[in-house]
Amino acid sequence: MEPINLLDYEVLAQQRLQPAIWDYFQGGSEDEVTMRANRAAFARLYLRPRVLVDVNTIDMHTTVLGMPVSMPVLVAPTASHKLAHPDGECATARGAGEAGTIMIVSTSATCSAAEVAEAATAPLWFQLYSHHTLETTGKLVKHVEAVGYRAIVLTVDSPYLGRRERDLHNQFILGQHVSMANFSNKNASASPSARHLVDTWETVDWLRSMTTLPILLKGILTAEDARLAAKRGIDGIVVSNHGGRQLDGAIASLDALPEIVEAVAGRCEVYVDGGIRRGTDVLKALALGARAVLLGRSILWGLAVNGQEGVRHVLELLRAELELAMALSGRPTLASIDRSLLKVAR
Ligand SMILES: Cc1cc2nc3c(=O)[nH]c(=O)nc-3n(C[C@H](O)[C@H](O)[C@H](O)COP(=O)(O)O)c2cc1C
């Protein structure tokens, strides 16, 4: 099958990957209620298209934290890319660069932060899990700053690892040939349960004091926390439930987005991830006030199926769908996308 959309890549990736690796990529926590809710939230929102608008030219270029991107779609941080393809995160970074967008590289990457920076052709952001002590975490932050990362994305929804029951059933562990490249003990698990540090707002203040890079918090789902983040001068928020892999039963990220956009009232940029598979999904997230969206699993599907080229193709397929959706809804620019585009289905 020639993949013509992201869901085709999902089918092909499942055929390609060993079942335990597939489950690790695909699964959520416990009953996977939140994982399913992420998709269902998009299906409940319908579009109110305007017609007879001049849609000869569609422009989706934008900036994120001042950095230009070719479209409002970024690559979410996901762990262990070498389980999908031997070139790992280096291939993903090159694919994202070809598509003109930013990759957020995970702390739990299987290529080192320096290797990915070397391979990259577009700006990179670094997703941070603090580990062991503030001292080791600080060293990692200084290192990624030195090798050219342009923002720090602190993930705040994972003080402990969610119960990923597919992995427990499979007794899943990283294979011999794959390790966490950013950890001094290369065999150390990057899972939050294996770490000793539980972050609090004090960690955020500490991070703010020790780096001049922009800081984003990933994993905020409430207006209350969004207000605290904005008050602390955080540059961006990623509204996320970790793709349904942490607290099962947590609200769908799309459903959390409106209250967070309202709470921060333009004080920082707001992004969203979770369940984005279609150009119309991107359009709906933008209409609710997201500056851009992040893709998690679908990037891993592209990587598993065809390495760097698969990542590029996944991003290009989504770009083409978003372009068509903007044209058919009479919204030729990002500025013309607003809440009047949406109707909640009864
Ligand atoms: C296999 C896998 C590994 C992930 N690893 C990380 C990680 O290391 N750090 C992080 O902040 N989020 C991680 N996430 C969450 C993603 O950044 C993102 O929030 C989620 O995948 C978005 O949902 P989607 O997969 O439906 O697009 C991971 C998700 C998956 C599926």
Side-chain angles (χ1 to χ4, degrees):
M1 171 178 65
E2 267 306 303
I4 60 159
N5 59 42
L6 275 53
L7 300 166
D8 287 348
Y9 268 100
E10 181 175 19
V11 173
L12 293 174
Q14 183 169 15
Q15 290 168 4
R16 200 63 67 106
L17 293 168
Q18 289 167 19
I21 295 178
W22 170 253
D23 276 346
Y24 166 68
F25 284 155
Q26 200 69 4
S29 55
E30 298 181 5
D31 299 316
E32 302 186 337
V33 167
T34 295
M35 189 176 89
R36 285 190 298 278
N38 279 345
R39 292 287 301 134
F42 285 102
R44 275 196 311 274
L45 274 185
Y46 281 72
L47 298 166
R48 299 177 62 250
R50 297 295 303 275
V51 297
L52 299 174
V53 177
D54 180 355
V55 291
N56 275 299
T57 309
I58 303 293
D59 184 7
M60 63 175 81
H61 286 83
T62 186
T63 59
V64 285
L65 300 179
M67 300 168 219
V69 282
S70 68
M71 60 178 160
V73 178
L74 315 180
V75 174
T78 51
S80 312
H81 287 203
K82 281 191 180 173
L83 292 177
H85 190 276
D87 297 340
E89 288 80 5
C90 291
T92 313
R94 285 191 289 261
E98 278 184 312
T101 196
I102 286 175
M103 172 184 178
I104 308 172
V105 180
S106 169
T107 289
S108 310
T110 44
C111 298
S112 73
E115 285 173 318
V116 188
E118 181 82 9
T121 53
L124 297 172
W125 295 354
F126 189 78
Q127 177 269 324
L128 183 66
Y129 283 133
S130 52
H131 55 285
H132 304 306
T133 61
L134 282 186
E135 197 195 335
T136 46
T137 307
K139 276 192 192 143
L140 183 58
V141 171
K142 287 294 171 204
H143 172 65
V144 300
E145 236 182 62
V147 297
Y149 286 75
R150 306 277 294 275
I152 301 290
V153 181
L154 180 69
T155 297
V156 294
D157 58 15
S158 307
Y160 298 92
L161 191 70
R163 271 180 79 80
R164 322 256 168 90
E165 295 191 355
R166 297 195 204 196
D167 295 345
L168 296 173
H169 283 305
N170 294 332
Q171 298 181 315
F172 179 76
I173 44 159
L174 285 184
Q176 288 295 313
H177 55 296
V178 170
S179 64
M180 295 296 165
N182 290 318
F183 287 79
S184 42
N185 172 3
K186 295 288 167 59
N187 294 319
S189 164
S191 71
S193 59
R195 293 181 290 123
H196 305 296
L197 209 62
V198 170
D199 295 330
T200 63
W201 286 106
E202 281 68 51
T203 321
V204 175
D205 294 338
W206 166 83
L207 188 60
R208 182 71 292 170
S209 72
M210 60 97 46
T211 180
T212 53
L213 291 176
I215 296 173
L216 298 95
L217 300 183
K218 173 173 180 284
I220 285 188
L221 288 172
T222 62
E224 296 90 312
D225 284 338
R227 264 186 228 106
L228 291 175
K231 216 166 73 185
R232 281 177 150 81
I234 288 302
D235 301 280
I237 287 173
V238 182
V239 179
S240 173
N241 50 38
H242 217 109
R245 292 162 75 83
Q246 285 298 109
L247 177 65
D248 197 33
I251 185 171
S253 36
L254 191 76
D255 289 336
L257 180 61
E259 69 177 60
I260 291 171
V261 168
E262 194 185 335
V264 305
R267 285 177 290 170
C268 67
E269 293 187 356
V270 179
Y271 309 91
V272 67
D273 73 17
I276 288 150
R277 308 285 183 263
R278 287 287 187 185
T280 48
D281 296 339
V282 183
L283 190 61
K284 290 170 186 177
L286 299 179
L288 287 177
R291 181 147 191 111
V293 303
L294 277 51
L295 302 183
R297 292 177 181 82
S298 54
I299 293 294
L300 293 169
W301 303 334
L303 184 65
V305 172
N306 204 9
Q308 168 185 344
E309 170 56 21
V311 170
R312 186 200 64 79
H313 194 215
V314 160
L315 287 162
E316 291 303 342
L317 286 171
L318 200 64
R319 183 204 309 282
E321 286 186 9
L322 176 59
E323 191 172 35
L324 182 63
M326 288 171 71
L328 295 183
S329 62
R331 304 303 205 279
T333 62
L334 297 179
S336 64
I337 299 170
D338 61 18
R339 283 203 198 183
S340 69
L341 180 54
L342 300 176
K343 175 101 183 164
V344 179
R346 284 171 199 275

